[in-house]
Amino acid sequence: EGKMSPDEKNKITEKIQEIFKNDQIKSWFSNAWKVRTEAEIILPDGTTVRPDRVISNEEKTIVIDYKFGEQEEEKHQRQVKHYIETISKMEDKKVEGYLWYVDLGNIVAVSSF
């Protein structure tokens, strides 16, 4: 039914408040960015990719891929590297990439090089 108990609501609220104590995460959700969530990018071969969150301003673009309940894996790094390389070909500005392992509380910077 999509209902939650008051206790469940309190636990989720506390978790969200704790997450947003991280200045980097807080900045990703600020009004300073133009935000695209799960927007498809069509590749030259006709296939598509869909990063979880892409934020940009005049100076740079940041790709953020969320992972829930997963351990860090090399395939996640490859996925974000691909997003960075794809977006770099589309935009003439710096592109950064991050993996955010939400349940683990880890943010991993991804380099395309």
Side-chain angles (χ1 to χ4, degrees):
E1 293 180 25
K3 296 180 182 180
M4 68 175 72
S5 71
D7 187 49
E8 289 172 314
K9 179 183 174 187
N10 289 338
K11 286 180 183 177
I12 291 171
T13 300
E14 287 173 13
K15 184 173 183 172
I16 291 169
Q17 289 171 339
E18 187 64 31
I19 286 171
F20 280 90
K21 287 181 182 177
N22 180 304
D23 288 336
Q24 184 174 27
I25 294 169
K26 195 184 318 183
S27 76
W28 290 345
F29 290 87
S30 75
N31 291 329
W33 302 97
K34 177 181 176 188
V35 178
R36 295 180 298 257
T37 55
E38 295 198 25
E40 285 190 342
I41 300 171
I42 302 171
L43 302 176
D45 67 1
T47 61
T48 60
V49 295
R50 191 181 330 178
D52 290 332
R53 185 175 186 86
V54 178
I55 58 177
S56 59
N57 61 22
E58 295 296 320
E59 299 159 7
K60 68 181 171 180
T61 296
I62 299 175
V63 181
I64 306 157
D65 204 55
Y66 311 121
K67 300 297 180 191
F68 294 89
E70 297 185 53
Q71 293 184 345
E72 296 180 23
E73 295 184 29
E74 179 59 33
K75 69 180 180 179
H76 300 156
Q77 294 258 345
R78 286 192 304 268
Q79 179 184 26
V80 174
K81 284 179 186 180
H82 182 64
Y83 295 155
I84 293 169
E85 291 165 3
T86 300
I87 293 170
S88 292
K89 292 175 185 174
M90 299 167 51
E91 298 184 355
D92 188 25
K93 58 182 154 181
K94 181 178 179 181
V95 180
E96 298 176 3
Y98 296 91
L99 281 159
W100 179 14
Y101 294 92
V102 179
D103 292 337
L104 301 175
N106 294 341
I107 297 172
V108 178
V110 177
S111 172
S112 64
F113 302 102

